Amino acid sequence: MSARARRAGLLSALAAVGLLAAGAAGPVPERSRAAAHGSEARYVVELEWPRENIARTLGVARSELLMYGRGNPFQTRDIGGRTCVVGPLFALDIEDAFAFDIDEPVDLLITYAPELTGTFSVGFNDNGGDGIGESEPVEPESGPTLATARVTLDRARFAAHGIRGTDLAIGGSEGIALCNIEVERSHATPVPAGYGTLRLSVEDGATGRAVPARLGLYDATGRAPLPSERSVLVHRFVDEVRLLWVNPRTWWPSEHRLAFYVDEDYEARLPVGSYEFVATRGPEYRGYQRTVEVRADETTDLTVSLERYADLPAAGWYSGDSHVHIARDHTEDDAVWAQIAAEDIHVANLLEMGNIAVTHFKQPAWGEAGQYVREGHALVSGQEDPRTVQRGHTIHHNLQRPIRQDPESYFLYHRVFEESHAQGGISGYAHMGQLFNGERGLALDVPFDLVDFIEVLQGGRLYDDIWYSFLNLGFNVRPIAGADYPYFGPTLPGVERTYVKLDGPFAPNEWYNAYRRGHTYVSNGPFLEFRVNGREMGSELRVERGESLEIVAEASLNPDIDRLNRLELIVHGEVVATEAAAGSDRIRLETRIEAGESLWVAVRAFGDRDGERDMTVAHSAPVFVVVEDEPWWKLGAVPDLVARHRAKLQELLTEPIQPAGDLEYWETTRILEEEWEQQRLRLEPRVREADARYQALLDRARAATTATSS
């Protein structure tokens, strides 16, 4: 992985937890909220800073060009006779009449005030490669009131790929005082020799049925032509875009990483030449890649037949993404559906995202009225709310109506969990239970059997430590996975997904029912099958003490995504058996273990990509083996695990709130500060009751230990 890719991964993770937010507090001006689709969940301030060839200047916390900002509030200051804008990160829109969709070196003359400027760089969309460029860092001069740096952007594009249709991002971790910018074109953009037409259709290779897909098209230099209006118009926050960046964690057959979606067929007028063409449709399909020739004044017809690597629905397995943020104005949104179906996601949980002040990514209807089911792919309304930096982000699926908390009771999460369950909903914690202090919330809510799941796979990372800690205390908490589109990278829907086994035909409600029974696994690539004595993952199996348990597990991995590495058998969180792939894309593990006590058993599979934050992985829900009505806890670990979660309960009451770490800090800081202390007092009885439940669990474990030893 390149240094820039590593930096992008780190920045995306930090941005997701609110650690790279600009330091300005206070409301965003109302004019910056006006947008084409939904409300703006990003920090955006429109600045009055007219400059030649610059249509707009925005103060932002993220650019959608892999640059993020933090630091002082945005302000305008007179420095050295110049009007300067001061802040962490600026997004600039180049006048289209001056330069739009070009392909040439461009020089920027950036005038700045060194005293108020740290090391900075310029992010831009470029041609070729992954489509996102970044200049070399500029070290500020020392001494002068104003200084000017010349920055050359190689193969600059200026095609409105940044936030709110901007083209450039300028900033750095210590901020910048930007006093002027001049844009000098080289006018070296190649002139096409002519144009032809490409007309294509996409079909499933087995059925011949027309299907949506994600496509890439690149000329001999790696440039991706702007998609035509026959492509799908995609919602990214409030932006509406056709060309999206495919981040390095996302499977893609080409080294070039700009892609677009089509709903079955596509047509575009293109410069003549030879093109690399690629198509994908999620991990169950093989990648498609070929060369396409476009000739002057001719139409090239192409039928793309996507072949399956695996047909999981035929075996009853249907994928879902637990965590997608796309606003809908109406239920039957065919553009949103096409993006989801192009990734072959069967259930997309479209989450309204609330905080203590407002709600973003609004949905038009709830329950069955909010479900849009077409050709086996469903859009379903849900909510990620409540969310705070003090006790984590929660998710609630399959709701009949949204559940709103007043600011005066916002931290009392249990009320939302209880209402969700009363509606037949499924509820849990997002972001691996780790980010935004989610472990505190879990420590409080799990003892009351309110938590159905933890989102254990996200951002290219499996984080099972917190999940295992609750399984080892005897709680049935299921795994779930979600991409958190358009955050985390940004990512694309379905990069991480949850597979659920249905006994009959697909329907969203049946998917949720099967998930509730635990017939599920999470994956960003590998496929799993797993049985204990013939019982599916998620089952409870009652046996006699000492009985032999037959374990049969299988893993497979589309070789276009990664090479399969190994399959592991997990008992009480420990690896007890491993089967290596030995170069194959399939593994079968058969073994027997003895049920000397109650326990939980699961499997996980890995590809060769196996880093701390970038792995190809799948993990099953456990099979719970019960011996003589004993809990499936890991008895010897109970005292330490109880101490761990009781400490988190105390943190919840004693640690001061840090509202600057809230993701929408500009909307929430004042209210969080005003409400937390009073609501902390209201949480104290709940914390005491949870603590008592941990104590009862500990007492029971000590009694069981004594009985066993005697």
Side-chain angles (χ1 to χ4, degrees):
M1 182 185 295
S2 69
R4 192 163 73 81
R6 289 193 297 272
R7 175 181 178 274
L10 174 60
L11 288 175
S12 63
L14 292 174
V17 301
L19 296 180
L20 285 180
V28 181
E30 188 63 32
R31 62 184 174 182
S32 73
R33 292 174 184 262
H37 191 81
S39 63
E40 180 61 274
R42 301 166 295 191
Y43 186 80
V44 180
V45 178
E46 294 187 9
L47 302 169
E48 294 295 334
W49 195 65
R51 289 295 182 275
E52 186 179 10
N53 300 320
I54 305 296
R56 293 174 297 138
T57 300
L58 308 178
V60 298
R62 58 182 291 154
S63 65
E64 309 309 332
L65 296 171
L66 287 187
M67 293 190 68
Y68 301 85
R70 64 177 180 183
N72 297 320
F74 295 99
Q75 55 183 287
T76 302
R77 295 180 58 174
D78 290 330
I79 303 172
R82 297 288 186 95
T83 300
C84 306
V85 285
V86 183
L89 183 65
F90 298 96
L92 288 80
D93 179 17
I94 305 298
E95 289 277 9
D96 288 353
F98 175 72
F100 178 77
D101 198 30
I102 62 175
D103 184 4
E104 64 188 52
V106 170
D107 279 0
L108 304 179
L109 272 64
I110 301 171
T111 301
Y112 61 94
E115 185 178 358
L116 298 174
T117 301
T119 303
F120 67 91
S121 59
V122 178
F124 63 105
N125 69 279
D126 65 4
N127 293 276
D130 62 14
I132 299 179
E134 184 177 352
S135 72
E136 291 297 320
V138 176
E139 295 291 340
E141 296 183 25
S142 58
T145 303
L146 297 175
T148 299
R150 179 178 290 271
V151 175
T152 299
L153 310 180
D154 186 37
R155 298 197 71 184
R157 183 158 195 173
F158 301 159
H161 290 167
I163 184 171
R164 296 284 192 91
T166 55
D167 300 297
L168 298 172
I170 302 176
S173 61
E174 300 175 33
I176 182 173
L178 184 60
C179 301
N180 195 37
I181 181 168
E182 299 176 44
V183 185
E184 296 182 352
R185 287 192 58 178
S186 62
H187 296 284
T189 297
V191 177
Y195 289 87
T197 298
L198 174 65
R199 188 166 57 202
L200 61 88
S201 59
V202 184
E203 65 180 26
D204 179 281
T207 65
R209 181 172 59 88
V211 292
R214 184 189 341 140
L215 307 183
L217 194 63
Y218 313 103
D219 70 13
T221 72
R223 174 181 165 89
L226 292 181
S228 76
E229 292 187 359
R230 295 288 298 275
S231 62
V232 176
L233 191 63
V234 173
H235 306 311
R236 181 192 67 188
F237 294 99
V238 300
D239 305 332
E240 293 189 326
V241 299
R242 298 186 188 277
L243 203 57
L244 288 165
W245 181 57
V246 182
N247 74 28
R249 296 194 314 273
T250 304
W251 167 50
W252 191 236
S254 174
E255 64 177 315
H256 309 299
R257 305 194 71 83
L258 289 176
F260 60 99
Y261 292 104
V262 300
D263 188 353
E264 302 177 1
D265 55 28
Y266 179 70
E267 185 173 321
R269 185 169 177 263
L270 300 171
V272 298
S274 179
Y275 290 86
E276 177 192 4
F277 174 78
V278 298
T280 64
R281 195 170 189 253
E284 296 174 40
Y285 285 83
R286 300 299 303 260
Y288 182 99
Q289 194 168 18
R290 61 165 291 174
T291 299
V292 176
E293 296 291 337
V294 175
R295 298 178 177 85
D297 303 319
E298 293 185 13
T299 297
T300 300
D301 288 297
L302 175 64
T303 297
V304 179
S305 182
L306 297 180
E307 303 295 334
R308 279 189 175 273
Y309 168 78
D311 189 353
L312 269 66
W317 289 103
Y318 292 87
S319 65
D321 190 325
S322 71
H323 199 152
V324 179
H325 294 301
I326 304 176
R328 283 185 294 170
D329 297 320
H330 51 277
T331 299
E332 296 183 353
D333 191 319
D334 287 313
V336 178
W337 178 90
Q339 182 182 12
I340 295 304
E343 300 290 357
D344 196 31
I345 302 165
H346 293 278
V347 177
N349 292 284
L350 304 185
L351 305 183
E352 291 193 350
M353 189 181 81
N355 58 45
I356 198 170
V358 298
T359 301
H360 299 290
F361 305 106
K362 297 283 285 185
Q363 299 303 311
W366 297 76
E368 290 191 7
Q371 296 178 2
Y372 181 32
V373 186
R374 174 182 154 199
E375 299 172 18
H377 303 280
L379 309 179
V380 185
S381 300
Q383 73 179 60
E384 184 184 2
D385 190 19
R387 301 161 57 250
T388 68
V389 71
Q390 190 71 353
R391 54 172 305 191
H393 292 188
T394 68
I395 291 176
H396 309 275
H397 290 158
N398 198 35
L399 297 179
Q400 305 308 304
R401 57 191 174 276
I403 306 168
R404 305 296 183 218
Q405 285 280 77
D406 293 331
E408 293 80 7
S409 60
Y410 194 76
F411 290 92
L412 308 182
Y413 285 14
H414 61 279
R415 295 183 176 182
V416 178
F417 279 85
E418 290 165 354
E419 172 61 21
S420 169
H421 288 162
Q423 293 185 27
I426 300 169
S427 297
Y429 274 78
H431 309 310
M432 303 168 284
Q434 180 191 32
L435 306 184
F436 302 103
N437 295 304
E439 190 172 359
R440 295 175 186 168
L442 284 162
L444 181 55
D445 291 325
V446 169
F448 295 94
D449 292 320
L450 293 176
V451 178
D452 300 307
F453 62 78
I454 300 174
E455 195 175 51
V456 299
L457 178 60
Q458 192 169 78
R461 182 184 181 192
L462 174 71
Y463 190 78
D464 50 29
D465 177 64
I466 295 173
W467 178 39
Y468 285 2
S469 75
F470 288 110
L471 291 175
N472 282 337
L473 285 176
F475 295 105
N476 184 357
V477 180
R478 301 157 190 83
I480 209 165
D484 197 6
Y485 172 85
Y487 295 90
F488 266 101
T491 190
L492 297 176
V495 172
E496 289 91 12
R497 58 184 66 195
T498 306
Y499 281 94
V500 174
K501 180 79 173 285
L502 275 63
D503 295 329
F506 170 78
N509 292 339
E510 293 305 314
W511 192 91
Y512 291 113
N513 289 337
Y515 180 83
R516 192 178 286 107
R517 292 191 294 270
H519 302 330
T520 186
Y521 68 89
V522 299
S523 176
N524 62 5
F527 307 129
L528 295 177
E529 289 282 357
F530 168 53
R531 293 178 179 81
V532 180
N533 286 5
R535 302 291 294 275
E536 294 269 9
M537 57 187 81
S539 301
E540 184 176 294
L541 174 64
R542 293 181 173 270
V543 300
E544 298 296 323
R545 191 179 304 277
E547 185 173 329
S548 178
L549 304 176
E550 181 187 30
I551 310 292
V552 178
E554 297 178 350
S556 58
L557 177 57
N558 184 341
D560 292 345
I561 296 175
D562 195 8
R563 290 188 0 148
L564 189 60
N565 183 285
R566 67 192 185 278
L567 176 62
E568 297 177 341
L569 177 64
I570 310 296
V571 177
H572 275 156
E574 304 291 334
V575 179
V576 300
T578 301
E579 192 75 28
S584 174
D585 62 340
R586 300 178 187 273
I587 304 173
R588 183 177 176 89
L589 185 156
E590 296 185 57
T591 189
R592 287 184 174 272
I593 61 174
E594 182 180 299
E597 59 181 340
S598 293
L599 43 84
W600 61 268
V601 188
V603 293
R604 63 189 184 197
F606 291 89
D608 277 351
R609 192 178 70 208
D610 186 7
E612 182 181 353
R613 290 187 179 274
D614 186 13
M615 57 177 61
T616 307
V617 63
H619 201 306
S620 76
V623 172
F624 300 100
V625 179
V626 179
V627 175
E628 297 178 5
D629 291 324
E630 295 173 352
W632 56 72
W633 56 19
K634 187 176 183 180
L635 185 57
V638 169
D640 287 342
L641 294 176
V642 165
R644 169 180 178 169
H645 295 309
R646 292 173 104 174
K648 289 297 175 182
L649 290 179
Q650 292 309 305
E651 270 187 27
L652 185 58
L653 295 181
T654 59
E655 288 295 315
I657 195 165
Q658 302 289 337
D662 209 56
L663 199 56
E664 298 87 47
Y665 63 92
W666 63 94
E667 296 173 333
T668 62
T669 293
R670 180 182 58 81
I671 304 176
L672 290 172
E673 290 174 337
E674 290 175 352
E675 291 294 335
W676 168 241
E677 186 57 30
Q678 181 180 356
Q679 293 186 47
R680 183 189 68 80
L681 297 175
R682 295 173 65 189
L683 277 175
E684 283 186 355
R686 188 82 177 176
V687 169
R688 286 197 298 270
E689 186 175 351
D691 189 79
R693 294 187 178 214
Y694 283 119
Q695 183 61 50
L697 188 65
L698 182 60
D699 291 343
R700 186 180 177 191
R702 286 170 174 165
T705 301
T706 300
T708 301
S709 61
S710 62

Coordinates of all heavy atoms in Angstrom, one line a residue, residues 141-182:
E141 N 7.3 29.6 4.7 CA 8.5 30.4 4.9 C 8.5 31.1 6.2 O 7.4 31.3 6.8 CB 8.6 31.5 3.8 CG 8.8 30.9 2.4 CD 9.0 32.0 1.4 OE1 9.4 33.1 1.8 OE2 8.7 31.8 0.2
S142 N 9.6 31.4 6.8 CA 9.7 32.1 8.0 C 10.1 33.6 7.8 O 11.0 33.8 7.0 CB 10.7 31.5 9.0 OG 12.0 31.4 8.4
G143 N 9.4 34.5 8.4 CA 9.8 35.9 8.4 C 8.8 36.8 7.7 O 8.3 37.7 8.4
P144 N 8.5 36.6 6.4 CA 7.7 37.6 5.8 C 6.2 37.6 6.3 O 5.7 36.6 6.8 CB 7.7 37.2 4.3 CG 8.0 35.7 4.3 CD 8.9 35.5 5.5
T145 N 5.6 38.7 6.1 CA 4.2 38.8 6.5 C 3.3 38.0 5.5 O 2.4 37.3 5.9 CB 3.7 40.3 6.4 OG1 4.5 41.1 7.3 CG2 2.2 40.4 6.8
L146 N 3.7 38.0 4.2 CA 3.0 37.2 3.2 C 4.1 36.5 2.4 O 5.2 37.0 2.2 CB 2.2 38.1 2.3 CG 1.0 38.8 2.9 CD1 0.3 39.7 1.9 CD2 0.0 37.8 3.5
A147 N 3.8 35.3 2.0 CA 4.6 34.5 1.1 C 3.8 33.8 0.0 O 2.6 33.6 0.2 CB 5.4 33.4 1.9
T148 N 4.5 33.5 -1.0 CA 3.8 32.8 -2.2 C 4.5 31.5 -2.5 O 5.7 31.5 -2.6 CB 3.7 33.7 -3.4 OG1 3.0 34.9 -3.1 CG2 3.0 33.0 -4.5
A149 N 3.7 30.4 -2.6 CA 4.2 29.1 -3.0 C 3.6 28.7 -4.4 O 2.4 28.9 -4.6 CB 3.9 28.1 -2.0
R150 N 4.5 28.2 -5.2 CA 4.0 27.7 -6.5 C 3.8 26.2 -6.4 O 4.8 25.4 -6.0 CB 5.0 28.0 -7.6 CG 4.5 27.4 -9.0 CD 5.5 27.8 -10.1 NE 5.4 29.2 -10.4 CZ 4.6 29.8 -11.3 NH1 3.7 29.0 -12.0 NH2 4.6 31.1 -11.5
V151 N 2.6 25.7 -6.6 CA 2.3 24.3 -6.5 C 1.8 23.8 -7.9 O 0.9 24.4 -8.5 CB 1.2 24.0 -5.5 CG1 0.8 22.6 -5.4 CG2 1.7 24.5 -4.1
T152 N 2.5 22.7 -8.4 CA 2.1 22.2 -9.7 C 1.2 20.9 -9.5 O 1.6 20.0 -8.7 CB 3.3 21.8 -10.5 OG1 4.1 23.0 -10.7 CG2 2.9 21.2 -11.8
L153 N 0.1 20.9 -10.1 CA -0.8 19.8 -10.1 C -0.7 19.0 -11.4 O -1.0 19.6 -12.5 CB -2.3 20.2 -9.9 CG -2.5 21.2 -8.7 CD1 -4.0 21.6 -8.7 CD2 -2.0 20.6 -7.4
D154 N -0.2 17.8 -11.4 CA 0.0 17.1 -12.6 C -1.3 16.4 -13.0 O -2.0 15.8 -12.2 CB 1.1 16.0 -12.4 CG 1.4 15.3 -13.6 OD1 1.5 15.9 -14.7 OD2 1.7 14.0 -13.5
R155 N -1.6 16.5 -14.2 CA -2.9 15.9 -14.8 C -4.1 16.4 -14.0 O -5.0 15.6 -13.7 CB -2.8 14.4 -14.9 CG -1.7 13.9 -15.8 CD -1.9 12.4 -16.1 NE -3.0 12.3 -17.0 CZ -3.5 11.1 -17.4 NH1 -3.0 10.0 -17.0 NH2 -4.5 11.1 -18.3
A156 N -4.2 17.7 -13.7 CA -5.4 18.2 -13.0 C -6.6 18.0 -13.9 O -6.5 18.0 -15.1 CB -5.2 19.6 -12.7
R157 N -7.7 17.8 -13.2 CA -9.0 17.5 -13.9 C -10.1 18.6 -13.7 O -10.7 19.0 -14.7 CB -9.5 16.2 -13.5 CG -10.8 15.8 -14.2 CD -11.0 14.3 -14.2 NE -12.0 13.9 -15.2 CZ -12.3 12.7 -15.5 NH1 -11.7 11.7 -14.9 NH2 -13.2 12.4 -16.4
F158 N -10.3 19.0 -12.5 CA -11.3 20.0 -12.2 C -12.7 19.6 -12.7 O -13.3 20.3 -13.5 CB -10.9 21.4 -12.8 CG -9.6 21.9 -12.2 CD1 -9.0 22.9 -13.0 CD2 -9.1 21.5 -11.0 CE1 -7.7 23.4 -12.5 CE2 -7.9 22.0 -10.6 CZ -7.2 22.9 -11.3
A159 N -13.2 18.5 -12.3 CA -14.5 17.9 -12.7 C -15.5 17.8 -11.6 O -16.4 17.0 -11.6 CB -14.3 16.6 -13.4
A160 N -15.3 18.7 -10.6 CA -16.3 18.9 -9.5 C -16.5 17.6 -8.7 O -17.6 17.3 -8.2 CB -17.7 19.3 -10.1
H161 N -15.4 16.9 -8.4 CA -15.5 15.6 -7.6 C -15.4 15.9 -6.1 O -15.7 15.0 -5.3 CB -14.4 14.7 -8.0 CG -14.5 14.1 -9.4 ND1 -13.5 13.5 -10.0 CD2 -15.6 14.1 -10.2 CE1 -13.9 13.1 -11.2 NE2 -15.2 13.5 -11.4
G162 N -15.1 17.1 -5.7 CA -15.0 17.4 -4.3 C -16.3 17.7 -3.6 O -17.4 17.7 -4.3
I163 N -16.3 18.0 -2.3 CA -17.5 18.4 -1.6 C -18.2 19.5 -2.3 O -17.6 20.5 -2.7 CB -17.1 18.7 -0.1 CG1 -18.3 19.0 0.7 CG2 -16.1 19.9 -0.1 CD1 -18.0 19.1 2.2
R164 N -19.5 19.3 -2.4 CA -20.4 20.3 -3.0 C -19.9 20.8 -4.4 O -20.0 21.9 -4.8 CB -20.5 21.6 -2.1 CG -21.1 21.3 -0.7 CD -22.7 21.2 -0.8 NE -23.3 21.3 0.5 CZ -23.7 22.4 1.1 NH1 -23.6 23.5 0.4 NH2 -24.2 22.3 2.2
G165 N -19.4 19.8 -5.1 CA -19.0 20.1 -6.5 C -17.7 21.0 -6.6 O -17.5 21.6 -7.7
T166 N -16.9 20.9 -5.6 CA -15.6 21.7 -5.7 C -14.5 20.9 -6.3 O -14.7 19.7 -6.6 CB -15.2 22.1 -4.2 OG1 -15.1 21.0 -3.4 CG2 -16.2 23.1 -3.6
D167 N -13.4 21.6 -6.6 CA -12.3 21.0 -7.4 C -11.0 20.8 -6.6 O -10.2 20.0 -7.0 CB -12.0 21.8 -8.6 CG -13.2 21.9 -9.5 OD1 -13.7 20.9 -10.0 OD2 -13.7 23.0 -9.7
L168 N -10.8 21.7 -5.6 CA -9.5 21.7 -4.9 C -9.8 21.7 -3.4 O -10.8 22.2 -2.9 CB -8.7 23.0 -5.2 CG -8.3 23.2 -6.6 CD1 -7.7 24.6 -6.7 CD2 -7.2 22.2 -7.0
A169 N -8.8 21.2 -2.6 CA -8.8 21.3 -1.2 C -7.5 21.8 -0.7 O -6.5 21.2 -1.2 CB -9.2 20.0 -0.5
I170 N -7.4 22.8 0.1 CA -6.1 23.4 0.6 C -6.2 23.5 2.1 O -7.1 24.1 2.6 CB -5.9 24.8 0.0 CG1 -5.9 24.7 -1.5 CG2 -4.6 25.3 0.5 CD1 -5.7 26.1 -2.2
G171 N -5.2 22.9 2.7 CA -5.1 23.0 4.2 C -4.1 22.1 4.8 O -3.3 21.5 4.1
G172 N -4.1 22.0 6.1 CA -3.1 21.2 6.8 C -3.6 21.1 8.3 O -4.5 21.8 8.7
S173 N -2.9 20.3 9.0 CA -3.3 20.0 10.4 C -3.2 21.2 11.3 O -3.9 21.3 12.3 CB -2.4 18.9 11.0 OG -1.0 19.3 11.0
E174 N -2.3 22.2 11.0 CA -2.2 23.4 11.8 C -2.9 24.6 11.2 O -2.8 25.7 11.7 CB -0.7 23.7 12.0 CG 0.1 22.6 12.7 CD 1.5 22.9 12.8 OE1 1.9 24.1 12.9 OE2 2.3 22.0 12.7
G175 N -3.6 24.3 10.1 CA -4.4 25.4 9.5 C -3.6 26.3 8.5 O -2.4 26.1 8.4
I176 N -4.3 27.2 7.8 CA -3.7 28.0 6.8 C -4.4 29.4 6.8 O -5.6 29.4 7.0 CB -3.7 27.4 5.4 CG1 -3.0 28.2 4.4 CG2 -5.1 27.1 5.0 CD1 -2.8 27.6 3.0
A177 N -3.6 30.4 6.6 CA -4.2 31.8 6.3 C -4.0 32.0 4.8 O -2.9 32.3 4.4 CB -3.5 32.8 7.1
L178 N -5.1 31.8 4.1 CA -5.0 31.8 2.6 C -5.4 33.2 2.2 O -6.5 33.7 2.4 CB -6.0 30.8 2.1 CG -6.1 30.6 0.6 CD1 -4.8 30.1 0.0 CD2 -7.2 29.6 0.2
C179 N -4.5 33.9 1.5 CA -4.6 35.3 1.2 C -4.9 35.5 -0.3 O -5.4 36.6 -0.7 CB -3.4 36.1 1.6 SG -3.2 36.0 3.4
N180 N -4.5 34.6 -1.2 CA -4.8 34.7 -2.6 C -4.4 33.4 -3.3 O -3.6 32.6 -2.7 CB -4.0 35.9 -3.3 CG -4.6 36.2 -4.6 OD1 -5.8 36.2 -4.8 ND2 -3.7 36.5 -5.6
I181 N -5.1 33.1 -4.4 CA -4.7 32.0 -5.2 C -4.9 32.3 -6.6 O -5.9 32.9 -7.0 CB -5.5 30.7 -4.8 CG1 -5.1 29.5 -5.6 CG2 -7.0 31.0 -4.9 CD1 -5.6 28.2 -5.1
E182 N -3.9 32.1 -7.4 CA -3.9 32.3 -8.9 C -3.8 30.9 -9.5 O -3.0 30.1 -9.1 CB -2.8 33.2 -9.3 CG -2.9 34.6 -8.7 CD -1.7 35.5 -9.2 OE1 -1.4 35.4 -10.4 OE2 -1.1 36.1 -8.3

